[in-house]
Amino acid sequence: MSSPKIGVVSCSGEEYVEGTISRIATRLVLEQLRPNATVTICLPLFLAGEEGERMFAKRFPTIAVDGCEKKCAKNAIEKYSGKTAQSIVVTDLLKKWSIKKPNSRRKLDKEGMKTASKVAEQIAATMDDLLADSRRRKHANV
Amino acid sequence: MGDEDARRLVRSHRCISVDGCTAECAKKNLELSDAKLAANFIVMDILREHRNLRTQGVTCLDENGRKLAKILAEKIASRVEELNQEDAAT
C-alpha cells in the first residue's frame, strides 16, 4: 500500500532571501526528512494552468511555504484548487525565532543553511500533524 | 498571482524568461500577463550544449551546476546588451 502524500508548494520568488530559504527547506523535506510522504508542486507550472498539478492539490492536502507576506503559494492553491491544509510563512518564522535573515539570495551561507534546515523541520512537523490527523479520522471513520 | 505591481512591471519593461525545463512555465506566465517577452532561455537547452556539466544535486548546486549557471548568466547578459544596443540604434 502506498503511503499517504502531502503536497508542499514553495514560493518561487527571487526578490527576497526568504524565497530561497522556502525552496531549499522544501527540497530538504523532499529529499531527506519525509521523502516518502512529500510531493512538491511546481508553483509556476500550477499557475500556468497545468491540470495534473491542480488536480493533485484538489485531492490531497497541501502545505504552502511562502517567503513573504504576499503568500503567493497559498493564494494560488486556494484560488485554483481549494483550501490549503497549512500555510507557513518564512518571514513570520524568522521573526518568531529571532533569526537574522541571510545576506545572499543566490547562495545560502552556513547560517542560512541552518535556518533552511529549521524551516524544513517545521514543515516536516506540520506534515506529521496532518498525517496523524488523517489517521485518526480514518480510524474514527469520520 | 495577479499582483498588480508585478504585472505593471512586466507589461512596461521587456522581459527575459529563464525556464528550467521545456514546460516553459516562466514564459507561459509572462504571456498570460501580456508581458513584453524579449527572449526565452531554457536551461535544458544549455545543458544539451554542455552535456559534461550535468549537476548531481538539486538542493545545492555542485561545481558543474555553478559552471552551467555561469554560462547561462553570460548568455542572458549578452542578450540584455544586444537589446540595449538595439535601443541605442533606434
Side-chain angles (χ1 to χ4, degrees):
Chain A
M1 200 173 89
S2 66
S3 56
K5 300 287 183 196
I6 293 179
V8 182
V9 194
S10 170
C11 162
S12 62
E14 291 289 345
E15 195 173 355
Y16 307 112
V17 68
E18 288 88 342
T20 310
I21 293 173
S22 306
R23 285 188 288 283
I24 291 184
T26 301
R27 292 294 318 177
L28 290 173
V29 173
L30 180 73
E31 288 173 8
Q32 295 172 19
L33 300 183
R34 300 290 180 276
N36 298 322
T38 316
V39 171
T40 55
I41 293 170
C42 173
L43 184 58
L45 186 61
F46 182 91
L47 284 171
E50 211 275 333
E51 272 309 311
E53 304 279 300
R54 290 190 178 179
M55 190 53 73
F56 181 91
K58 269 181 196 160
R59 294 182 55 189
F60 294 88
T62 53
I63 299 173
V65 185
D66 281 295
C68 75
E69 285 305 319
K70 284 189 177 175
K71 297 181 186 172
C72 300
K74 177 179 189 274
N75 291 336
I77 296 294
E78 298 197 344
K79 183 172 180 181
Y80 296 109
S81 293
K83 194 153 171 48
T84 49
Q86 276 296 337
S87 159
I88 288 172
V89 181
V90 173
T91 46
D92 291 348
L93 290 180
L94 298 196
K95 227 178 273 167
K96 185 176 151 191
W97 296 333
S98 303
I99 291 178
K100 195 173 160 253
K101 65 180 182 181
N103 292 319
S104 172
R105 281 175 290 171
R106 191 159 55 104
K107 190 169 185 273
L108 294 184
D109 57 13
K110 205 174 157 192
E111 283 306 306
M113 282 305 289
K114 253 199 221 169
T115 304
S117 297
K118 206 167 173 193
V119 173
E121 281 160 17
Q122 178 71 51
I123 300 168
T126 306
M127 289 175 72
D128 292 344
D129 289 345
L130 290 172
L131 292 169
D133 190 46
S134 156
R135 276 194 296 270
R136 267 195 302 273
R137 281 164 181 268
K138 206 170 171 186
H139 188 68
N141 205 12
V142 176
Chain B
M1 257 323 292
D3 179 84
E4 268 315 309
D5 289 340
R7 281 195 159 172
R8 209 172 299 123
L9 269 177
V10 299
R11 283 175 184 157
S12 57
H13 295 80
R14 284 167 303 178
C15 302
I16 296 176
S17 60
V18 183
D19 280 296
C21 73
T22 51
E24 297 186 293
C25 303
K27 184 182 170 199
K28 280 180 192 158
N29 281 303
L30 281 172
E31 286 169 348
L32 287 169
S33 299
D34 297 321
K36 292 180 180 178
L37 192 68
N40 167 234
F41 291 95
I42 302 173
V43 176
M44 285 177 86
D45 289 344
I46 316 290
L47 187 58
R48 244 176 247 131
E49 293 166 14
H50 303 273
R51 289 180 191 270
N52 56 322
L53 295 182
R54 183 168 291 279
T55 181
Q56 297 301 315
V58 178
T59 306
C60 292
L61 291 182
D62 58 14
E63 201 187 333
N64 278 348
R66 284 193 295 275
K67 277 185 192 165
L68 195 74
K70 190 159 187 260
I71 291 168
L72 175 59
E74 279 163 4
K75 280 180 184 277
I76 298 167
S78 157
R79 184 67 184 121
V80 170
E81 230 162 77
E82 279 172 19
L83 289 167
N84 286 336
Q85 280 167 10
E86 283 168 24
D87 275 357
T90 54

